[in-house]
Amino acid sequence: MINKNFITICLFLVSSIMMAEGEFINLHVSYDDEILLNPSFPKSPIVPPTIYLDDHTLYFDTPCDGCTLNVVDGNDVVVYTTVIPTGTTSLVLPATLSGEYELQIIRGNYLFYGTIDLP
């Protein structure tokens, strides 16, 4: 049996190595449309994608193929949107964007969101 402390240390080391790629974006999850949820199926934890930001480049450690990516300003206006192509590991946001934004990833009925600060 593997020691829980060993697993914790391994996860910490992997996270530290991946953070060298950029700043980790802490994503939260909500339902895009709760009406579409089917209550008859058991709910399992939804794991947000792992994404890092370096300057204006997003790095995806978790596939987001076909997901919609939105960048939303402080007035709740979508200032950039795209569908993430299959196999994408990085995506460059427009250099014209600067300041604090909400990053949204829509996967099916789930909305993953977090704050990003662009230089």
Side-chain angles (χ1 to χ4, degrees):
M1 186 169 188
I2 298 176
N3 185 336
K4 288 182 184 180
N5 289 334
F6 175 74
I7 293 173
T8 303
I9 291 169
C10 287
L11 289 174
F12 175 77
L13 290 174
V14 168
S15 297
S16 298
I17 291 168
M18 291 190 315
M19 289 204 40
E21 223 175 299
E23 179 183 341
F24 175 74
I25 301 171
N26 186 22
L27 294 176
H28 308 279
V29 64
S30 70
Y31 301 110
D32 189 38
D33 185 355
E34 293 189 32
I35 294 171
L36 297 177
L37 292 177
N38 187 342
S40 65
F41 290 105
K43 293 185 170 94
S44 60
I46 302 302
V47 179
T50 305
I51 302 173
Y52 297 89
L53 175 68
D54 185 15
D55 194 33
H56 279 75
T57 304
L58 296 171
Y59 294 95
F60 300 90
D61 278 355
T62 306
C64 292
D65 300 347
C67 295
T68 300
L69 179 139
N70 293 327
V71 177
V72 181
D73 70 11
N75 297 318
D76 291 329
V77 175
V78 176
V79 294
Y80 177 77
T81 187
T82 189
V83 174
I84 301 169
T86 301
T88 297
T89 57
S90 65
L91 181 79
V92 178
L93 298 175
T96 55
L97 298 176
S98 67
E100 190 172 286
Y101 296 94
E102 179 176 87
L103 180 74
Q104 298 177 344
I105 306 275
I106 300 170
R107 179 188 295 153
N109 194 36
Y110 295 100
L111 170 66
F112 303 99
Y113 61 96
T115 303
I116 59 172
D117 193 12
L118 298 174

